[in-house]
Amino acid sequence: MADFDEAEVTTTLVRATGEAAALAYPNWTYGVSARVLPSRGVGTWTVVAYQGGEGKDVDLWDHRDLDRRIQKSSTGLLDAQGVECMGMKCTVARSGEFRIEYSYDIDEAIKWANQVFSGLPPEEIVEILRPRDW
């Protein structure tokens, strides 16, 4: 990615995560987008929105452009971290504060991806991704 602009890609991901959260809750508190690549060519992503203590897995089925922006920007940030990076989480607060975390633990990434692929209930995904210490 010779023309990779980390600030631009991060901004796209943060905005898209917030827009996705608004689909679930008009008065959202936090939005979290997560992408896991346990191996190249295999991956999963999701967005969860929170409003106070409530959380909801966001359905992006009818929002292809938003879904594509989240996929593309999160993949770009993962690729920029190198092949050893297995996962990424972007947490956005309604105030505009955000945090991007990376996971370099393949076992953790594979475990999480397997849970999602095997049908982890949305309630559990909401709890796994719930923002802590904010």
Side-chain angles (χ1 to χ4, degrees):
M1 299 184 99
D3 59 349
F4 181 76
D5 182 337
E6 185 175 357
E8 181 180 334
V9 173
T10 300
T11 299
T12 298
L13 179 60
V14 167
R15 284 186 179 154
T17 300
E19 289 172 33
L23 295 175
Y25 295 113
N27 295 315
W28 59 279
T29 308
Y30 296 102
V32 180
S33 58
R35 185 156 179 81
V36 180
L37 296 174
S39 65
R40 295 301 164 189
V42 176
T44 187
W45 63 95
T46 192
V47 178
V48 176
Y50 299 89
Q51 181 174 283
E54 293 183 30
K56 188 184 294 185
D57 198 17
V58 180
D59 181 3
L60 293 173
W61 178 257
D62 292 326
H63 302 275
R64 299 283 189 209
D65 178 62
L66 190 52
D67 190 39
R68 192 182 83 261
R69 283 164 46 209
I70 290 169
Q71 286 184 57
K72 185 177 178 183
S73 53
S74 59
T75 299
L77 289 173
L78 278 171
D79 287 346
Q81 292 295 307
V83 295
E84 68 278 0
C85 186
M86 300 296 150
M88 187 222 69
K89 181 168 76 168
C90 172
T91 305
V92 182
R94 192 171 183 83
S95 66
E97 184 181 2
F98 70 92
R99 175 170 59 202
I100 295 183
E101 301 167 78
Y102 296 98
S103 173
Y104 297 90
D105 182 344
I106 181 114
D107 293 333
E108 180 182 316
I110 288 173
K111 178 182 174 188
W112 190 84
N114 283 341
Q115 288 173 328
V116 174
F117 286 138
S118 65
L120 189 67
E123 301 80 29
E124 290 186 43
I125 294 173
V126 165
E127 286 310 312
I128 287 170
L129 296 178
R130 184 177 296 280
R132 313 274 185 224
D133 305 324
W134 272 48

